[in-house]
Amino acid sequence: MFAFCADPSTLDGWAWFACYLTSGTHLAFYWSFLVVLFLLALAAPLALGLGFAGALANRSRIPPVRWFGWTYTNIVRGVPEIVFFMFVPIAISQGIESLLHVVHCPDWHAVEETRGLRVCEAARLPPANAPRWVADAYGFVLALTAFALVYGAFVANTLH
């Protein structure tokens, strides 16, 4: 990062710390911290909206709506958050890919493998030739969805 970081043998004291704390690994860590803060800033209003909708559904006089609100709140709250954050984005992604596979390649059967769901190239999300930022944005949206669903259920329970 700094010009004096080129020769490590000359580093001592504050110069060593300056070079160490601006290494590629640390800069990636700082960037990930900002991404998580941005994720939470977007997830909070979505969670409040889902929570308000879930609380209204819980209080509904229409039985199917009330059952949906109760089911959403209790099932999501009953699953540990870490499990939800690990598997819901994967499940959402594979569900979307399966639907796209049925639409784009109805004559070819999708295959579940150890590395994931094998679908035709037209159903792949994000596409294989997409830039890196598209894959990052897709993962970010999946994480945002998982955060909003989990914390929306907690908000719905609190408001109910």
Side-chain angles (χ1 to χ4, degrees):
M1 180 80 175
F2 300 110
F4 57 83
C5 294
D7 185 16
S9 64
T10 62
L11 297 178
D12 63 346
W14 70 270
W16 183 88
F17 279 108
C19 293
Y20 177 71
L21 294 175
T22 58
S23 68
T25 303
H26 281 90
L27 293 177
F29 171 74
Y30 305 147
W31 179 251
S32 67
F33 185 76
L34 292 175
V35 168
V36 169
L37 288 179
F38 184 60
L39 174 68
L40 293 176
L42 293 178
L46 286 173
L48 288 173
L50 278 174
F52 188 69
L56 285 176
N58 270 337
R59 305 279 306 198
S60 176
R61 292 187 178 138
I62 304 167
V65 175
R66 186 174 56 245
W67 298 333
F68 178 76
W70 182 87
T71 303
Y72 163 65
T73 303
N74 288 308
I75 286 181
V76 173
R77 286 200 61 234
V79 176
E81 289 178 12
I82 188 69
V83 172
F84 209 90
F85 292 140
M86 286 174 60
F87 296 114
V88 165
I90 295 169
I92 291 171
S93 181
Q94 286 190 352
I96 293 170
E97 283 185 353
S98 295
L99 290 174
L100 288 174
H101 181 79
V102 169
V103 170
H104 292 294
C105 310
D107 55 332
W108 188 64
H109 297 291
V111 178
E112 182 69 35
E113 294 180 337
T114 11
R115 294 178 298 159
L117 186 67
R118 196 176 94 207
V119 295
C120 67
E121 223 25 69
R124 186 74 46 209
L125 280 180
N129 59 353
R132 180 70 189 156
W133 70 268
V134 173
D136 290 343
Y138 180 67
F140 186 85
V141 168
L142 289 174
L144 182 63
T145 304
F147 268 85
L149 286 173
V150 168
Y151 293 119
F154 281 96
V155 170
N157 189 55
T158 302
L159 291 176
H160 179 264

